Amino acid sequence: MPYALVPATPEHLRAVLHWITTADDLRLWGGPLLTFPPDAQKTWREIGADVSNTFALLDAEGNTAGFGQVLPREPGTAHLGRIIVSPLLRGQGVGRALVEQLIAAALERHHPEQITLNVYTYNTPAFELYRSLGFTITAEAAGHASYAMSLRVA
């Protein structure tokens, strides 16, 4: 099934928040600074979302299949964050489609030398996907049980 990456709106985020049912789910997706329970408008503000940095992956019928952000960092770096795929679509290649399209958006918008992301050490499916796309571990935050990963693109 073809998927299209589009600038996200709070309505796309509202669909995503239906996939997040616990405070642990929210932390796994958005990091430790988001407040539970999530609400589309509140969470939109908490993640610093706008149409230039936040994207929804839509299926052919226009349903939200995934979501993520492309954030500029220090010169030469773009950061992918808050990546999530519909629980009904996990394990079907949708995460790969989402991350590949987020990488393309990062390259088009920011022309970085590297693309970074963070992943919890226990999120094995995400870690393996990122590794298969060429990301390598650059640091481990043992206190947060997470890896910082980087992809050289220039």
Side-chain angles (χ1 to χ4, degrees), residues 23-107:
D24 284 342
D25 288 346
L26 184 65
R27 184 177 53 76
L28 178 64
W29 169 67
L33 301 179
L34 301 186
T35 57
F36 190 84
D39 164 87
Q41 295 299 325
K42 174 186 75 163
T43 305
W44 185 262
R45 287 189 305 276
E46 287 177 340
I47 66 174
D50 64 47
V51 296
S52 71
N53 69 10
T54 306
F55 299 90
L57 188 73
L58 305 182
D59 66 16
E61 288 81 39
N63 299 307
T64 303
F67 186 93
Q69 290 185 289
V70 176
L71 305 165
R73 291 291 195 245
E74 61 272 0
T77 302
H79 183 79
L80 306 185
R82 299 189 178 91
I83 299 167
I84 190 169
V85 170
S86 165
L88 299 174
L89 300 173
R90 292 177 187 162
Q92 300 176 38
V94 178
R96 178 172 298 277
L98 174 59
V99 175
E100 287 174 346
Q101 291 189 45
L102 289 171
I103 290 169
L107 293 171

Side-chain angles (χ1 to χ4, degrees), residues 24-25 27-30 82-85 90 117-131 144-147 149:
D24 284 342
D25 288 346
R27 184 177 53 76
L28 178 64
W29 169 67
R82 299 189 178 91
I83 299 167
I84 190 169
V85 170
R90 292 177 187 162
L117 55 78
N118 298 314
V119 61
Y120 285 104
T121 57
Y122 50 84
N123 190 350
T124 304
F127 173 75
E128 292 299 331
L129 169 63
Y130 304 146
R131 206 170 62 150
H144 293 283
S146 66
Y147 297 124
M149 300 184 81

